[in-house]
Amino acid sequence: MKRTVFTALGLVALAFTACNFSTNETKETTAVVGEEMATVVPVATQTTSEFEAQALEECIAIAQAMDEIKLMEAQAEQQLNDSLMEVTEELKLALQKSIAAEKKRARTPEQLAKGAREAELWFQENYASVVTKYDANYKGLKIKFATDGVLYDVQTLVNGEWKKDLKLMDILTKVKVNKELGLENAVSITVSQV
C-alpha cells in the first residue's frame, strides 16, 4: 500500500509541475487559441420588432421575385399564343388560296359542261313533270337556283321577251325534290318549248 500512495503522490506532483511550468509549445497553442478567439464575431442581438421588420422585408422581396417570375411566364405564354395565332392565320390564308386554286381548276370547260349536265338531269328528275303540266303559252323557261338548290327566280319567254312568272315560281317552290342540287355555283336552267 505504501507503494501505491507513493505512486499516486508522485503523479500528483508531476501534474502540479506540468501545470506550473509551460513549454514553448504550450505558449504557441495558447497564442493560436487567442487569435481564433479574436476572429470570432459576436452575435448581434435583435429585438422582436427588428426581427419582424427584417422578416417582412424578406417576405416582400420574395413576393416581388415571385411576381417577376409570373410576369415573365405570362410574357412567354403571350408570345407563344401570338406565334400560334400568326401560324393559324397563315394556315387559313394558305387553305383559302388552295381552295380558290382548286375551284379555278374545277372551272375548266369540261367541268362546267359536266355540272350543266348534272343540273339538267336534276331538273328533269324533280321539276319536268310539273313544268309540262303547267299550261302557259311560252317559248322558253329560265329557272335560277342558288348553290343550295333553292329556287329564287322563274322567267318565261313570251313574244321574244323574258318575263317573271310568279305563278309558276309558286308552283315550283312547293315541289319536293328527291335530292339537293349540290353544285358549287348558282345555276340557271333554260328550257325551250318546241
Side-chain angles (χ1 to χ4, degrees), residues 22 26 49 54 59 78 81 85-86 102 130 169 174 187:
S22 62
T26 308
S49 60
Q54 184 180 359
C59 286
Q78 184 62 40
N81 288 340
M85 290 298 292
E86 186 178 315
E102 183 64 31
V130 176
M169 183 171 170
K174 292 178 183 176
V187 175

Side-chain angles (χ1 to χ4, degrees), residues 13-66:
L14 278 173
F16 181 73
T17 308
C19 287
N20 286 332
F21 298 105
S22 62
T23 61
N24 285 339
E25 184 178 310
T26 308
K27 287 182 182 177
E28 288 174 8
T29 307
T30 307
V32 169
V33 171
E35 287 176 13
E36 288 177 6
M37 291 283 238
T39 59
V40 173
V41 178
V43 176
T45 57
Q46 288 181 325
T47 62
T48 305
S49 60
E50 289 174 342
F51 176 75
E52 288 174 351
Q54 184 180 359
L56 182 62
E57 288 175 7
E58 290 174 0
C59 286
I60 291 171
I62 290 171
Q64 287 173 342
M66 294 297 289

